[in-house]
Amino acid sequence: MTRTLQVGGVTIAYRTAGDPGATPMVLLHGLGDSSADWHSVLPGLAATHHVYALDLRGHGDSSHPGSYSLPLMRDDVLGLLDAAGIHRCVLVGHSMGAMVAALLAQTAPHRVTHLVLEDAGVPRPGMLTRPPLPAPAEPTAFDFAAVNAIRAQLNDPDPAWFQALDRITAPTLIISGARSPLPRHLLTDSAARIPHATLVSVTAGHHVHTEQPAAFLTEIGRFLDRHPTGD
């Protein structure tokens, strides 16, 4: 079921699945994707959780306000948690969504029971080279302005983002795609900085959850079993 909430002047769309009485799980997609990107793993996740799959600003059915940054997206997610009455949740993010999730978990650690980062970490200055891309000739389903806004932040990230990873209190799972083009040290450095973090590798590229959905679900299931809520 797709719904919308007004959060800080923007509309955030989200779809839900699973038992409303189950533990909340929030899914954050990558750059250029949407909540629909989780279709291959949504039934498995919804079997044990009440899942909220969000369209981040500029994507899917959410507002395309023209202003984009990782902190703005983090604040949107926090606002949605408040508006939806989600006090604490399992937070899962892929790529850009994983960085948004990490910023949220360090800013409001009390809102996150477990953190899952899929093939992403928080970069330090000079770690990634992401020059701007030319606008495509054809319209895109997302606001292309978000692409270069986020790429600029990856190219020159706030150093405080990496430093504050040690504020994350939730057990953390980082799922690496063994065939991903991302630099491996992006993930290992973040795993070393985050307390209670575990790094695992799956034989896949950058989109582990779509390329190897069964393995993705298995790793999350093992992680949650090892860290029951309250540990």
Side-chain angles (χ1 to χ4, degrees), residues 6-172:
Q6 295 299 310
V7 178
V10 298
T11 299
I12 299 297
Y14 63 100
R15 61 185 68 194
T16 60
D19 180 357
T23 300
M25 174 182 283
V26 174
L27 309 181
L28 307 179
H29 61 78
L31 182 61
D33 290 323
S34 72
S35 57
D37 188 57
W38 298 103
H39 72 278
S40 60
V41 295
L42 190 59
L45 296 173
T48 54
H49 291 78
H50 187 206
V51 179
Y52 297 74
L54 275 58
D55 289 338
L56 296 169
R57 65 165 59 202
H59 297 76
D61 293 325
S62 291
S63 296
H64 294 191
S67 55
Y68 304 104
S69 71
L70 298 173
L72 282 173
M73 292 178 178
R74 172 204 61 200
D75 293 345
D76 291 343
V77 178
L78 279 170
L80 185 133
L81 295 182
D82 290 340
I86 303 171
H87 302 294
R88 303 182 77 210
C89 67
V90 178
L91 187 58
V92 181
H94 170 237
S95 194
M96 175 190 74
M99 286 181 278
V100 174
L103 293 187
L104 190 154
Q106 63 183 228
T107 301
H110 60 289
R111 307 299 294 270
V112 182
T113 64
H114 302 79
L115 178 64
V116 180
L117 309 178
E118 180 191 349
D119 208 50
V122 174
R124 289 177 288 177
M127 184 174 282
L128 292 174
T129 302
R130 295 292 186 268
L133 297 177
E138 299 296 327
T140 56
F142 55 93
D143 188 352
F144 187 78
V147 172
N148 285 330
I150 297 302
R151 286 176 70 90
Q153 290 202 307
L154 300 179
N155 202 49
D156 186 24
D158 184 339
W161 296 345
F162 180 84
Q163 292 299 318
L165 288 177
D166 63 1
R167 298 180 188 170
I168 295 174
T169 58
T172 300

Side-chain angles (χ1 to χ4, degrees), residues 133-227:
L133 297 177
E138 299 296 327
T140 56
F142 55 93
D143 188 352
F144 187 78
V147 172
N148 285 330
I150 297 302
R151 286 176 70 90
Q153 290 202 307
L154 300 179
N155 202 49
D156 186 24
D158 184 339
W161 296 345
F162 180 84
Q163 292 299 318
L165 288 177
D166 63 1
R167 298 180 188 170
I168 295 174
T169 58
T172 300
L173 174 66
I174 302 178
I175 303 177
S176 167
R179 297 173 181 163
S180 172
L182 282 182
R184 176 73 176 177
H185 62 271
L186 174 62
L187 278 65
T188 57
D189 286 1
S190 290
R193 184 74 182 168
I194 299 172
H196 317 298
T198 302
L199 174 62
V200 299
S201 182
V202 173
T203 304
H206 184 52
H207 292 76
V208 181
H209 68 281
T210 57
E211 297 174 43
Q212 296 286 354
F216 181 83
L217 291 171
T218 295
E219 293 297 345
I220 290 182
R222 288 173 178 167
F223 168 66
L224 295 176
D225 286 345
R226 288 195 304 268
H227 300 281

